[in-house]
Amino acid sequence: EKQKVSGIAYSAEEAKVTVVGLPDKPGIAARIFGVLSELNINVDMIVQSASVNLQKTDITFSLARLDLSKAVMSIANLKDELAFERLVHDDNIAKISVIGTAMRTQPGIAKCMFEVLSEKKINMQVISTSEIKISVLIQADYAELAVRSLHDAFGLDASD
Amino acid sequence: EKQKVSGIAYSAEEAKVTVVGLPDKPGIAARIFGVLSELNINVDMIVQSASVNLQKTDITFSLARLDLSKAVMSIANLKDELAFERLVHDDNIAKISVIGTAMRTQPGIAKCMFEVLSEKKINMQVISTSEIKISVLIQADYAELAVRSLHDAFGLDASD
Ligand SMILES: C[C@@H](O)[C@H](N)C(=O)O
Ligand SMILES: C[C@@H](O)[C@H](N)C(=O)O
């Protein structure tokens, strides 16, 4: 495992927005990210897991803290049009990423990352993966602890 | 927008599993992906959006169709230990990705991708993004239509 992980990245000044109870039908996400794009708000992570009853689902996205209030206000204006239930947001968020190669073929990296955070009682609020990276959003207060613990667990020097 | 997108990728033989109503506390995800890692099941996307009431949340992951029944059985065995509500799965899934550079600074790419799929009435069941890629899971039947429409919209030749 150790040689496959090349580094740990984190970004502290993040915020997250979750649009709760969206109808799960074509056009909904296009409208939300259309509005954000018109306001030139840079969104980092967009995460939607599968809806269960194929009726409603939630979409979470992360962005810079300074864009949070603009994003929340613009999406709140869509409440009637999109008929979502609620809008929640949090500006005390950090993004932590484990970066490596061929993550897909290494099921043990996710397990190791999640176990390290679990041992430190750090709750993962959002999870998103790609071939080269596993990213989680956690409470910002735990960012240093998370980064240090992950460096140790993956046998990286603090400077990686 | 066009010059920032370098290609469209898709993978048809996918399946997805959603673990519904998991307690949102440290250790839960570690246990699920620990079990999958022990069985040497390669997971592709892992997606969890934020829980709303900080009590329960869902985790969706995608994997090769041939690993689906092994994964479902092993997680079903964790139902009492993890106290989740339900386990749903679907083997008629394709993953479609728009690949580009510096996606984070291009809010218009997500909007464009989502609008193209919306126009073709293709529902996005799962969404996950990274700096270089936006990936969605859709019903496998629509894979060709999605890929072709996205090629057209981003001004790519069919061979990109
Ligand atoms: C919820 C939202 O993503 C919807 N499924 C869509 O395709 O727009
Ligand atoms: C739901 C699950 O991801 C939980 N939040 C954890 O940290 O394990």
Side-chain angles (χ1 to χ4, degrees), chain B residues 22-96:
Chain B
L22 283 160
D24 190 10
K25 58 176 205 273
I28 297 291
R31 187 71 179 107
I32 293 172
F33 294 97
V35 163
L36 295 173
S37 162
E38 280 150 31
L39 293 169
N40 238 337
I41 292 175
N42 284 338
V43 168
D44 182 16
M45 294 164 77
I46 303 173
V47 174
Q48 172 198 322
S49 53
S51 73
V52 185
N53 52 11
L54 287 176
Q55 305 290 335
K56 290 194 180 287
T57 189
D58 306 339
I59 291 182
T60 298
F61 62 90
S62 66
L63 69 172
R65 265 183 211 157
L66 53 94
D67 285 332
L68 180 61
S69 57
K70 206 168 44 169
V72 169
M73 262 158 45
S74 65
I75 295 177
N77 287 341
L78 297 176
K79 191 162 195 305
D80 291 339
E81 178 190 338
L82 297 183
F84 59 81
E85 290 163 17
R86 241 180 333 149
L87 191 58
V88 291
H89 52 86
D90 183 348
D91 67 358
N92 185 28
I93 297 290
K95 178 170 123 178
I96 312 283

